[in-house]
Each structure stands twice: as C-alpha cells, then as structure tokens.
Amino acid sequence: MTVGEMLVATVPMARTLNLEFLETTPERAVVRLPDQADYHNHVGGPHAGAMFTLAESASGAIVIAAFGDQMSRAVPLAVKAEIGYKKLAMGEVTATATLGRPIADVVAELDAGKRPEFPVAIEITRADGAVTGEMTVVWTLRPNG
C-alpha cells in the first residue's frame, strides 16, 4: 500500500475531499484537490478549509514517507500550522510539501531521547502554476511510552 492509499484508507477527510496523492516520497509530497462544487466558497473556488486540509494532508504524506520507519517508536503529530492565502484559487489546486530539516537530524534527536520538531513547507498552486497559498506545519515525533 502506498502512503497515499494508506492515508485515503485511514483519514476520513482525505476520502471526503477526494484528495489525489500524486507523489509521496521522503523528499516531496504532491496532493491534488479536484474541482468539486460541494467544496466551493462564495466566489466559486475551493473553500479555504478545503485548501487547508489539502495542504495539511500533503504535509502528513511527506511526514509518513520520511519517518514511516520510526512509527514503532514514535507517533507523528502536527504541533501548529499557519497558512496564507495569496491569490484567488479557482478549479483544481495542488499542494506540494517539502521537509524543512534533514531526516537524519530529526532521527538523531529521537535517538537521543528528545521529542524533535520540524517544519514542513507547503505551496498551493492553481492549474496555471500560480501560487494561491503557502502553509507551514510544524510536526513532532512523540516517542511512545
């Protein structure tokens, strides 16, 4: 099962919004929100809440791809998120997430008994490539026990 398939199977909001996980690697996650009238705002584009969920889902996908091998000893949790809406989004939108710290540094902190935190930067774009939003989600790996 791919990271995207696992998230669609286990995260109800990903299924509800029909998110499409296009790429999920430790270096990058790309997730698309199809254009769906049920999730439009008052101007006919994707609702801000749907775009937030899209971007947060992309951040979760890269976290699982990067740290899936640590799940037996730590749980990934979002600590905080900040989003900025830059331009009007219309039609389908795509979120591209990248890790803000090297995987090895985060794992080294976990190995040292710490609870590492790391940012994930997400860019939301329209089909024409225009950036409609930017989000940062700070994640942690909470050690089990």
PDB file of all heavy atoms in Angstrom, residues 51 83-89 124 130-135:
ATOM      1  N   MET A  51      -8.727  23.923   1.234  1.00  0.00           N
ATOM      2  CA  MET A  51      -7.324  24.135   0.884  1.00  0.00           C
ATOM      3  C   MET A  51      -6.414  23.897   2.090  1.00  0.00           C
ATOM      4  O   MET A  51      -5.315  23.363   1.946  1.00  0.00           O
ATOM      5  CB  MET A  51      -7.113  25.530   0.294  1.00  0.00           C
ATOM      6  CG  MET A  51      -7.714  25.644  -1.098  1.00  0.00           C
ATOM      7  SD  MET A  51      -7.197  27.123  -1.993  1.00  0.00           S
ATOM      8  CE  MET A  51      -7.833  28.416  -0.968  1.00  0.00           C
ATOM      9  N   ILE A  83      -1.221  29.370   7.659  1.00  0.00           N
ATOM     10  CA  ILE A  83      -1.488  29.411   6.222  1.00  0.00           C
ATOM     11  C   ILE A  83      -1.718  30.852   5.791  1.00  0.00           C
ATOM     12  O   ILE A  83      -2.267  31.663   6.546  1.00  0.00           O
ATOM     13  CB  ILE A  83      -2.695  28.513   5.850  1.00  0.00           C
ATOM     14  CG1 ILE A  83      -2.799  28.303   4.347  1.00  0.00           C
ATOM     15  CG2 ILE A  83      -3.988  29.054   6.454  1.00  0.00           C
ATOM     16  CD1 ILE A  83      -3.746  27.190   3.925  1.00  0.00           C
ATOM     17  N   GLY A  84      -1.258  31.150   4.598  1.00  0.00           N
ATOM     18  CA  GLY A  84      -1.514  32.443   3.986  1.00  0.00           C
ATOM     19  C   GLY A  84      -2.146  32.220   2.625  1.00  0.00           C
ATOM     20  O   GLY A  84      -1.641  31.431   1.829  1.00  0.00           O
ATOM     21  N   TYR A  85      -3.254  32.884   2.388  1.00  0.00           N
ATOM     22  CA  TYR A  85      -3.942  32.787   1.100  1.00  0.00           C
ATOM     23  C   TYR A  85      -3.465  33.958   0.250  1.00  0.00           C
ATOM     24  O   TYR A  85      -3.669  35.116   0.607  1.00  0.00           O
ATOM     25  CB  TYR A  85      -5.455  32.793   1.308  1.00  0.00           C
ATOM     26  CG  TYR A  85      -5.911  31.629   2.160  1.00  0.00           C
ATOM     27  CD1 TYR A  85      -6.199  31.803   3.515  1.00  0.00           C
ATOM     28  CD2 TYR A  85      -6.021  30.358   1.625  1.00  0.00           C
ATOM     29  CE1 TYR A  85      -6.597  30.724   4.298  1.00  0.00           C
ATOM     30  CE2 TYR A  85      -6.412  29.273   2.409  1.00  0.00           C
ATOM     31  CZ  TYR A  85      -6.707  29.474   3.750  1.00  0.00           C
ATOM     32  OH  TYR A  85      -7.085  28.414   4.524  1.00  0.00           O
ATOM     33  N   LYS A  86      -2.805  33.681  -0.882  1.00  0.00           N
ATOM     34  CA  LYS A  86      -2.101  34.699  -1.665  1.00  0.00           C
ATOM     35  C   LYS A  86      -2.877  35.222  -2.861  1.00  0.00           C
ATOM     36  O   LYS A  86      -2.813  36.393  -3.178  1.00  0.00           O
ATOM     37  CB  LYS A  86      -0.764  34.134  -2.164  1.00  0.00           C
ATOM     38  CG  LYS A  86       0.109  33.554  -1.078  1.00  0.00           C
ATOM     39  CD  LYS A  86       0.601  34.625  -0.147  1.00  0.00           C
ATOM     40  CE  LYS A  86       1.549  34.055   0.880  1.00  0.00           C
ATOM     41  NZ  LYS A  86       1.943  35.026   1.873  1.00  0.00           N
ATOM     42  N   LYS A  87      -3.549  34.309  -3.576  1.00  0.00           N
ATOM     43  CA  LYS A  87      -4.301  34.667  -4.785  1.00  0.00           C
ATOM     44  C   LYS A  87      -5.571  33.849  -4.810  1.00  0.00           C
ATOM     45  O   LYS A  87      -5.659  32.793  -4.189  1.00  0.00           O
ATOM     46  CB  LYS A  87      -3.500  34.349  -6.056  1.00  0.00           C
ATOM     47  CG  LYS A  87      -2.326  35.236  -6.301  1.00  0.00           C
ATOM     48  CD  LYS A  87      -1.712  34.953  -7.643  1.00  0.00           C
ATOM     49  CE  LYS A  87      -0.567  35.912  -7.878  1.00  0.00           C
ATOM     50  NZ  LYS A  87      -0.011  35.788  -9.200  1.00  0.00           N
ATOM     51  N   LEU A  88      -6.523  34.314  -5.601  1.00  0.00           N
ATOM     52  CA  LEU A  88      -7.768  33.588  -5.763  1.00  0.00           C
ATOM     53  C   LEU A  88      -7.501  32.222  -6.385  1.00  0.00           C
ATOM     54  O   LEU A  88      -6.822  32.108  -7.403  1.00  0.00           O
ATOM     55  CB  LEU A  88      -8.725  34.389  -6.651  1.00  0.00           C
ATOM     56  CG  LEU A  88     -10.114  33.793  -6.874  1.00  0.00           C
ATOM     57  CD1 LEU A  88     -10.871  33.680  -5.555  1.00  0.00           C
ATOM     58  CD2 LEU A  88     -10.890  34.643  -7.862  1.00  0.00           C
ATOM     59  N   ALA A  89      -8.001  31.208  -5.741  1.00  0.00           N
ATOM     60  CA  ALA A  89      -7.872  29.844  -6.265  1.00  0.00           C
ATOM     61  C   ALA A  89      -9.162  29.494  -6.981  1.00  0.00           C
ATOM     62  O   ALA A  89     -10.250  29.700  -6.457  1.00  0.00           O
ATOM     63  CB  ALA A  89      -7.619  28.861  -5.125  1.00  0.00           C
ATOM     64  N   ILE A 124       0.597  25.876  -2.357  1.00  0.00           N
ATOM     65  CA  ILE A 124      -0.653  25.519  -3.040  1.00  0.00           C
ATOM     66  C   ILE A 124      -0.700  26.288  -4.353  1.00  0.00           C
ATOM     67  O   ILE A 124      -0.520  27.513  -4.363  1.00  0.00           O
ATOM     68  CB  ILE A 124      -1.884  25.871  -2.180  1.00  0.00           C
ATOM     69  CG1 ILE A 124      -1.789  25.210  -0.803  1.00  0.00           C
ATOM     70  CG2 ILE A 124      -3.178  25.446  -2.887  1.00  0.00           C
ATOM     71  CD1 ILE A 124      -2.801  25.742   0.198  1.00  0.00           C
ATOM     72  N   ALA A 130       0.100  29.365 -10.767  1.00  0.00           N
ATOM     73  CA  ALA A 130       0.115  30.486  -9.829  1.00  0.00           C
ATOM     74  C   ALA A 130      -0.006  29.978  -8.393  1.00  0.00           C
ATOM     75  O   ALA A 130      -0.808  29.098  -8.107  1.00  0.00           O
ATOM     76  CB  ALA A 130      -1.029  31.453 -10.135  1.00  0.00           C
ATOM     77  N   VAL A 131       0.803  30.544  -7.509  1.00  0.00           N
ATOM     78  CA  VAL A 131       0.758  30.177  -6.095  1.00  0.00           C
ATOM     79  C   VAL A 131      -0.429  30.882  -5.454  1.00  0.00           C
ATOM     80  O   VAL A 131      -0.505  32.107  -5.440  1.00  0.00           O
ATOM     81  CB  VAL A 131       2.074  30.565  -5.377  1.00  0.00           C
ATOM     82  CG1 VAL A 131       1.975  30.269  -3.884  1.00  0.00           C
ATOM     83  CG2 VAL A 131       3.250  29.830  -5.998  1.00  0.00           C
ATOM     84  N   THR A 132      -1.364  30.080  -4.949  1.00  0.00           N
ATOM     85  CA  THR A 132      -2.553  30.644  -4.314  1.00  0.00           C
ATOM     86  C   THR A 132      -2.460  30.641  -2.793  1.00  0.00           C
ATOM     87  O   THR A 132      -3.207  31.342  -2.123  1.00  0.00           O
ATOM     88  CB  THR A 132      -3.816  29.885  -4.731  1.00  0.00           C
ATOM     89  OG1 THR A 132      -3.726  28.541  -4.263  1.00  0.00           O
ATOM     90  CG2 THR A 132      -3.992  29.903  -6.229  1.00  0.00           C
ATOM     91  N   GLY A 133      -1.547  29.844  -2.254  1.00  0.00           N
ATOM     92  CA  GLY A 133      -1.403  29.800  -0.807  1.00  0.00           C
ATOM     93  C   GLY A 133      -0.089  29.169  -0.397  1.00  0.00           C
ATOM     94  O   GLY A 133       0.531  28.422  -1.163  1.00  0.00           O
ATOM     95  N   GLU A 134       0.330  29.514   0.815  1.00  0.00           N
ATOM     96  CA  GLU A 134       1.521  28.933   1.409  1.00  0.00           C
ATOM     97  C   GLU A 134       1.192  28.559   2.848  1.00  0.00           C
ATOM     98  O   GLU A 134       0.518  29.320   3.549  1.00  0.00           O
ATOM     99  CB  GLU A 134       2.686  29.915   1.378  1.00  0.00           C
ATOM    100  CG  GLU A 134       3.120  30.262  -0.024  1.00  0.00           C
ATOM    101  CD  GLU A 134       4.149  31.377  -0.086  1.00  0.00           C
ATOM    102  OE1 GLU A 134       4.177  32.218   0.835  1.00  0.00           O
ATOM    103  OE2 GLU A 134       4.894  31.398  -1.062  1.00  0.00           O
ATOM    104  N   MET A 135       1.677  27.411   3.267  1.00  0.00           N
ATOM    105  CA  MET A 135       1.388  26.922   4.610  1.00  0.00           C
ATOM    106  C   MET A 135       2.657  26.332   5.207  1.00  0.00           C
ATOM    107  O   MET A 135       3.487  25.770   4.483  1.00  0.00           O
ATOM    108  CB  MET A 135       0.297  25.849   4.545  1.00  0.00           C
ATOM    109  CG  MET A 135      -0.160  25.305   5.869  1.00  0.00           C
ATOM    110  SD  MET A 135      -1.526  24.112   5.569  1.00  0.00           S
ATOM    111  CE  MET A 135      -2.157  23.925   7.206  1.00  0.00           C
TER     112      MET A 135
END
